[in-house]
Amino acid sequence: MRILLIASAFNSLTQRVQVELRDRGHHADTERVDGPDDVRAAVARHAPELVVAPMLKVAVPEDVWSRHPCLIVHPGPPGDRGPSSLDRAIQDGHATWGVTVLQANAEMDAGDIWASGAFPVAPVGKSDLYRGEFSDAASDALLLAVGRFASGIHRPTPQTGLAVRTRPSLPQAERAIDWHTDASETVLRSLRAADSWPGVLDEDLPGGPWFLHGGHIEDELRGTPGAVIATRAGAICRATRDGAVWIPQLRRRSRPGGPGSVKLPAASALGTLLADVPEAPVPLELPSRRHTFSDIRYEERDAVGFVRFSFPGGAMSATQCRRLLAAYRHACRRPTRVVVLGGCRDFFSNGIHLGVIEAAPDPAEESWANIEAMDDLVEAVLTTTDRLVVAALGGNAAAGGVMLAIAADEVWCRTGAVLNPHYRLMGLPGSEFWTYTLPRRVGPEGADALLRAAEPVSAATAHRIGLVHRLVPASPGQFAETVADLAADLAADPATHQRLTDKKRRRAHDEAIKPLAAYRAEELASMRRTFFDPSAPYHALRSAFVRKQRPPRPGASATGRDSGRRP
């Protein structure tokens, strides 16, 4: 069936819907639309049998929905209406929430229902929940709705008789935190409900106003409510009336009519304004009883070492890459047979940190430092020959993050993940040893096809073409434990010893044919030319991406207009 996806951004759900529809044999194309005229033009170009809107912030015009069946994905249960449904579900403390696939009509979110589903509201930020439990439920509901539509016999259910609740967009006045009266759990819900966008506006931090992005509970540190009492790994810790919370990122409020501002590690954003605030480090092997912020952790059990990391948006700055490399080297000094690299859930990695680069005094130099640090990490994984390395992808990965994953011996991927194994949409030739690893995985022709297409692929397709070794059919919350069990089996497998012998021999053979240093030098030479060329498209594309603006490439398709790294 010819299906047109219309979306306000080519975000994670839109990508997932596109790849899963294509996996099922549908001809699915995506168009980014900003208004009614864009919708009309997209429909005229594609002449679809069905229009699907996975994430749409504008109304479908009547002259479109009256002539073409349009299915809308609404992030709320049947009867719920309004643009901030998921935000409100988190802020109000709901334990479960829903998703509804309905047909567009004259009233927003009021159309007949084709399918619906429910999901648990995990204690995580909105973007993590959106890419995880919500995405699973939305994908299942939408595929069911498309199947029902294709059958030609199913009739959607009118909302007549439903208990309807319409709520407006959640304004900053309702998101605002009173640091002197709000309990830590209340603060945490507000932060999590706005973590990726729009953030919580704060007038009290020095140098503000700022938007606060993300939140993690702190179990030990205490101080004057509202005060910044510590920093750690780029995050700041703020005291509440009954405890404290960690805030990983800040974004300065933009001036009216000015360019969009950039999310940055909170401590970096505040800089010298935190001169008297102490750093509060925690050990890499943090006791399980602790409830505090730590973006890199090491755990060990059953002859398996787990290097767990989680960076906001999947972006990895030079500093974060160096810290992760130190943790990985620690893991490689431990008496284990297998090392698992990856977080418990959500993004694996999206490569270099474009936000930190954009805000740097010299973006070219920061780009260079970041890619060098990223390559150091990947090289360490590639040259580990005394144990097996597994990359565990509990969520999406893109660009250099995919190449980090395929440097491992095996890639295990949650079935709901989407991969973007390419660089072109950011105007980069790529590094992270892709010229060595990607052809080994998918063949030279397959590697060229992936890079040229510059489109997302599903976990199932990645498995079929050899990019991924194992699919893990687990929920976001179950992924880490499922991987731990599989890794324990791998460590106990008698065949692992022979695999290590073969791995060492193969690495030596490949090194004799062409050293890794040669691959690295060739890739970095191309990257350096791009970084230090002021006219290279990379600079404008990077700036547009981190500021949530359209990149300056008129006439591009939806996938050509977005790097695939949005929530």
Side-chain angles (χ1 to χ4, degrees):
M1 186 163 52
R2 291 191 317 278
I3 301 176
L4 172 64
L5 307 183
I6 54 174
S8 297
F10 196 51
N11 74 337
S12 60
L13 180 61
T14 306
Q15 292 179 47
R16 180 171 178 176
V17 169
Q18 175 180 288
V19 298
E20 293 195 350
L21 287 173
R22 288 180 177 180
D23 283 355
R24 287 158 178 77
H26 297 289
H27 183 90
D29 288 318
T30 301
E31 290 273 357
R32 176 175 168 175
V33 296
D34 292 328
D37 288 342
D38 291 340
V39 176
R40 294 185 183 100
V43 171
R45 275 194 298 271
H46 292 271
E49 298 170 77
L50 178 65
V51 178
V52 171
M55 196 283 288
L56 192 63
K57 296 180 180 179
V58 299
V60 178
E62 183 177 0
D63 55 314
V64 172
W65 61 255
S66 62
R67 299 174 186 175
H68 303 271
C70 302
L71 301 185
I72 310 292
V73 178
H74 174 69
D80 174 83
R81 299 177 188 177
S84 299
S85 291
L86 197 56
D87 305 52
R88 291 186 180 277
I90 296 169
Q91 185 151 317
D92 293 347
H94 285 270
T96 60
W97 199 238
V99 58
T100 308
V101 180
L102 47 86
Q103 189 156 342
N105 66 7
E107 185 179 355
M108 195 78 79
D109 301 330
D112 294 351
I113 297 172
W114 282 87
S116 64
F119 60 91
V121 179
V124 296
K126 178 179 66 174
S127 56
D128 185 344
L129 182 70
Y130 183 90
R131 288 184 291 263
E133 286 83 355
F134 167 76
S135 181
D136 285 356
S139 176
D140 290 345
L142 186 54
L143 292 174
L144 176 60
V146 169
R148 286 172 170 174
F149 176 83
S151 73
I153 58 174
H154 183 84
R155 294 294 176 264
T157 304
Q159 294 196 35
T160 307
L162 278 180
V164 172
R165 186 179 187 186
T166 303
R167 294 189 289 179
S169 179
L170 188 59
Q172 284 294 335
E174 292 185 41
R175 298 182 188 270
I177 296 168
D178 187 325
W179 295 94
H180 293 275
T181 62
D182 289 345
S184 295
E185 284 299 326
T186 301
V187 172
L188 197 60
R189 287 200 303 270
S190 294
L191 291 170
R192 286 175 169 172
D195 73 333
S196 60
W197 194 262
V200 176
L201 184 63
D202 187 285
E203 305 273 0
D204 298 328
L205 279 177
W210 298 95
F211 288 99
L212 317 179
H213 293 274
H216 302 267
I217 200 71
E218 165 58 33
D219 59 358
E220 292 184 357
L221 299 176
R222 298 294 183 264
T224 303
V228 178
I229 56 176
T231 64
R232 179 185 300 153
I236 60 172
C237 186
R238 259 182 116 172
T240 66
R241 72 167 175 83
D242 63 347
V245 297
W246 289 92
I247 301 169
Q249 292 185 302
L250 298 179
R251 177 175 59 88
R252 191 180 296 278
R253 185 169 66 179
S254 302
R255 295 175 180 174
S261 53
V262 180
K263 278 187 285 188
L264 293 171
S268 298
L270 292 172
T272 57
L273 298 172
L274 295 177
D276 297 327
V277 177
E279 180 79 2
V282 289
L284 190 60
E285 298 186 51
L286 194 64
S288 59
R289 61 177 173 77
R290 289 296 311 275
H291 297 282
T292 187
F293 168 76
S294 179
D295 57 357
I296 303 174
R297 301 189 183 201
Y298 179 74
E299 301 172 20
E300 191 173 303
R301 54 176 154 152
D302 300 324
V304 180
F306 298 89
V307 182
R308 304 198 188 278
F309 60 95
S310 178
F311 303 124
M316 297 167 60
S317 69
T319 299
Q320 289 166 324
C321 288
R322 293 175 190 131
R323 291 175 48 240
L324 183 54
L325 174 57
Y328 180 77
R329 286 173 171 162
H330 170 81
C332 289
R333 291 191 293 268
R334 299 292 302 158
T336 59
R337 302 186 75 192
V338 175
V339 170
V340 176
L341 189 63
C344 292
R345 50 179 297 143
D346 202 23
F347 280 127
F348 178 76
S349 169
N350 286 323
I352 60 177
H353 200 310
L354 301 176
V356 169
I357 290 168
E358 179 70 9
D362 188 335
E365 287 288 356
E366 187 64 31
S367 298
W368 182 249
N370 203 159
I371 198 62
E372 285 263 55
M374 191 79 183
D375 278 11
D376 289 345
L377 173 61
V378 176
E379 186 170 4
V381 175
L382 284 170
T383 55
T384 300
T385 57
D386 61 344
R387 65 201 72 207
L388 294 180
V389 182
V390 173
L393 280 62
N396 301 347
V402 176
M403 306 313 165
L404 169 61
I406 65 174
D409 300 298
E410 294 192 13
V411 180
W412 299 353
C413 190
R414 197 178 83 84
T415 49
V418 175
L419 308 185
N420 278 273
H422 52 81
Y423 301 89
R424 181 167 61 85
L425 303 184
M426 199 48 63
L428 291 173
S431 191
E432 294 99 3
F433 297 89
W434 77 263
T435 53
Y436 172 61
T437 57
L438 191 59
R440 285 196 312 160
R441 297 293 190 193
V442 300
E445 292 183 0
D448 185 65
L450 287 172
L451 293 169
R452 286 180 179 275
E455 288 198 322
V457 296
S458 67
T461 293
H463 182 255
R464 177 175 55 80
I465 65 177
L467 201 61
V468 165
H469 298 83
R470 183 195 292 268
L471 295 177
V472 181
S475 70
Q478 296 171 333
F479 178 76
E481 279 304 312
T482 303
V483 165
D485 292 341
L486 293 170
D489 292 343
L490 179 60
D493 188 345
T496 295
H497 178 75
Q498 184 60 47
R499 287 188 62 184
L500 291 173
T501 301
D502 295 343
K503 174 183 179 178
K504 188 174 296 186
R505 184 185 301 115
R506 185 169 58 251
R507 176 83 283 281
H509 174 266
D510 289 354
E511 187 71 9
I513 294 174
K514 182 176 181 178
L516 285 178
Y519 289 99
R520 177 170 180 158
E522 292 168 0
E523 293 173 0
L524 287 180
S526 296
M527 292 288 272
R528 187 174 181 85
R529 285 192 295 271
T530 300
F531 290 154
F532 290 91
D533 178 1
S535 65
Y538 159 69
H539 300 291
L541 292 169
R542 178 195 69 238
S543 182
F545 174 74
V546 299
R547 299 179 191 279
K548 295 187 178 293
Q549 299 168 343
R550 281 211 185 207
R553 293 198 295 166
S557 67
T559 49
R561 286 200 297 260
D562 196 302
S563 78
R565 298 189 211 175
R566 290 188 181 156

